Amino acid sequence: MKKKIHIALLPGDGIGKEISIEARKILNWINENTNINIECDEYLVGGASIDKYGLPLTDETLKKIKQSDAIILGAVGGPKWESLAFEKRPERGLLKIRKELDLFANFRPAIVFDSLANSSTLKPEVIKGLDILIIRELTGGIYFGEPRGIKKISENKSKGFNTLVYTSDEIERIAKVAFETAKQRSKKLCSVDKANVLESTELWREIVNKIGKQFPEVELSHMYVDNASMQLVRNPKQFDVIVTTNMFGDILSDCASMLTGSLGMLPSASIGYNTSGEKKAMYEPVHGSAPDIAGKGIANPLAMILSLSMMFKYSFSRNDISELINNIVNSILEKGYRTKDISTDNKKNVSTSDMGDLVLKGLKNEKI
Ligand code: NAD
């Protein structure tokens, strides 16, 4: 008997649409060749939804995706919608999904495939074998804190302001996820804050220490964010799991992405739990909609395909499928195939759809 799963696919904008076509190919193969019956429905989000409905995310779409077992998203945004009021922009649709589904834990692995060690701007010996995981708090902190806004304070003076706020509950739940994850990896956790100048992160450090007492087997360290950004570039292999706030995680994970050579290689998972303890999750590449290359057929679909791999691991406990995808990606790279963003010599450059087809060939166990 096939297990039925319902996936909501949200291609979004720009290259989001192109890489979603490649994700579909993989999902179709898994549907046809494993004991999983995948029902995959597509919905509009971001600029595409604004163009059709005037909103970056409609209530109807939100309702539908809440009913799915997992969500996979391409990317949203682009210059076409940049002049809209802030609350009407494509990115608000994404933030709304994260908030509404309470997807508070964002997993961002940065793994260097051996064959890509030369694609990074860092020396190969600094990054070869790198496999770190940044866990970013996703639904609190300065991106959501109130009050926020831009106010006129006199005739020719305005002020812009945001609020960095964390409650102890918000810190506790992300700290628990981080310790649990570190326990299953190398039992090393580094918590990144700015406790020397920001009270909200002083509380962060206090609560992380408190939760740490429940995980004596995990070695906990703390680092200020400025030092962490420097250490990530100087000696990234000193880290295993990093846990940090929403904004610090946003910045540090983009920095970590360049260790791996390209944003086009980085998947992510955003996970939360509803009131009955059921897991809710959205999977998406770390990169954006890349308007500079959209429509050219050169986007790297591997971050999207590796996001699918994370989905099978974290949402459906199918480590076999997840590992199969990872191994195929590894062997494609070993054989020298590259999209433009990760190519150093332009020898075996392939298009977005060629790269998707290569993964499909690997799944079919055909010669790549
Ligand atoms: P971006 O990630 O879209 O692009 C940054 C650079 O990386 C560009 O040069 C782009 O060509 C390249 N790049 C990104 N993904 C790639 C891929 N898969 N293959 C090859 N090259 C790739 O960031 P940006 O330019 O700052 O933002 C563009 C738009 O995307 C903005 O509207 C922004 O708000 C939005 N954005 C969306 C998300 C999301 O949907 N999760 C995340 C970040 C940015």
Side-chain angles (χ1 to χ4, degrees), residues 22 24 91 154 226 228 249 284 295 301 320:
E22 305 316 307
R24 265 272 193 195
E91 292 77 4
S154 70
D226 37 357
E284 54 180 313
D320 56 336

Side-chain angles (χ1 to χ4, degrees), residues 15 75-78 91 94 263-264 284 287-293 299-300 341:
I15 63 165
V76 296
E91 292 77 4
L94 185 53
L263 267 174
E284 54 180 313
H287 63 74
S289 59
D292 54 335
I293 58 164
N300 186 346
D341 56 308

Side-chain angles (χ1 to χ4, degrees), residues 276-347:
S276 44
E278 189 194 355
K279 198 183 266 177
K280 284 278 155 205
M282 175 161 72
Y283 300 85
E284 54 180 313
V286 167
H287 63 74
S289 59
D292 54 335
I293 58 164
K296 296 185 178 163
I298 56 171
N300 186 346
L302 292 179
M304 183 72 164
I305 290 170
L306 292 168
S307 299
L308 282 183
S309 157
M310 288 186 89
M311 180 179 82
F312 283 103
K313 178 172 174 176
Y314 290 108
S315 280
F316 305 118
S317 304
R318 288 298 298 256
N319 288 15
D320 56 336
I321 296 178
S322 173
E323 274 166 30
L324 178 65
I325 295 173
N326 296 350
N327 290 340
I328 291 167
V329 169
N330 193 29
S331 82
I332 290 169
L333 297 171
E334 290 279 332
K335 298 223 160 66
Y337 294 104
R338 302 279 186 272
T339 41
K340 203 167 169 234
D341 56 308
I342 49 173
S343 169
T344 45
D345 58 11
N346 290 332
K347 269 193 193 146

Side-chain angles (χ1 to χ4, degrees), residues 142-154:
I142 199 162
Y143 293 166
F144 293 98
E146 297 284 349
R148 61 189 297 156
I150 301 175
K151 271 198 180 132
K152 216 168 171 49
I153 46 179
S154 70

Side-chain angles (χ1 to χ4, degrees), residues 97-289:
I97 297 175
R98 290 175 181 165
K99 195 73 184 169
E100 284 279 335
L101 275 78
D102 208 9
L103 305 176
F104 66 89
N106 185 219
F107 284 50
R108 293 186 165 201
I111 297 170
V112 174
F113 289 90
D114 277 357
S115 47
L116 287 188
N118 287 320
S119 301
S120 172
T121 46
L122 272 82
K123 292 187 186 123
E125 64 267 27
V126 176
I127 46 131
K128 202 160 187 199
L130 182 79
D131 178 358
I132 62 175
L133 177 64
I134 297 182
I135 301 181
R136 165 187 170 196
E137 199 291 326
L138 202 60
T139 51
I142 199 162
Y143 293 166
F144 293 98
E146 297 284 349
R148 61 189 297 156
I150 301 175
K151 271 198 180 132
K152 216 168 171 49
I153 46 179
S154 70
E155 189 58 44
N156 21 357
K157 225 182 187 178
S158 298
K159 73 168 179 182
F161 52 98
N162 292 88
T163 307
L164 173 53
V165 54
Y166 269 114
T167 64
S168 46
D169 290 356
E170 285 174 315
I171 304 168
E172 263 191 54
R173 64 181 187 173
I174 189 77
K176 278 186 185 150
V177 169
F179 277 105
E180 286 290 354
T181 310
K183 203 170 120 181
Q184 286 154 31
R185 288 175 52 111
S186 75
K187 302 186 173 54
K188 252 175 70 181
L189 177 66
C190 178
S191 171
V192 173
D193 59 38
K194 190 73 183 167
N196 50 343
V197 286
L198 298 171
E199 285 83 351
S200 49
T201 68
E202 196 184 325
L203 178 69
W204 176 279
R205 189 175 284 217
E206 188 187 312
I207 303 285
V208 171
N209 277 331
K210 188 182 104 184
I211 300 298
K213 295 206 170 71
Q214 299 166 23
F215 296 87
E217 65 277 55
V218 177
E219 183 197 323
L220 171 67
S221 60
H222 298 277
M223 205 177 267
Y224 295 137
V225 64
D226 37 357
N227 185 24
S229 60
M230 192 259 280
Q231 296 296 338
L232 258 182
V233 180
R234 192 186 72 85
N235 176 20
K237 282 188 263 183
Q238 70 184 283
F239 298 108
D240 186 53
V241 181
I242 292 175
V243 63
T244 190
T245 65
N246 201 342
M247 182 165 69
F248 295 161
D250 192 7
I251 299 165
L252 290 181
S253 58
D254 262 29
C255 172
S257 76
M258 274 326 288
L259 305 172
T260 70
S262 168
L263 267 174
M265 291 300 301
L266 283 185
S268 79
S270 306
I271 297 172
Y273 300 87
N274 66 16
T275 41
S276 44
E278 189 194 355
K279 198 183 266 177
K280 284 278 155 205
M282 175 161 72
Y283 300 85
E284 54 180 313
V286 167
H287 63 74
S289 59

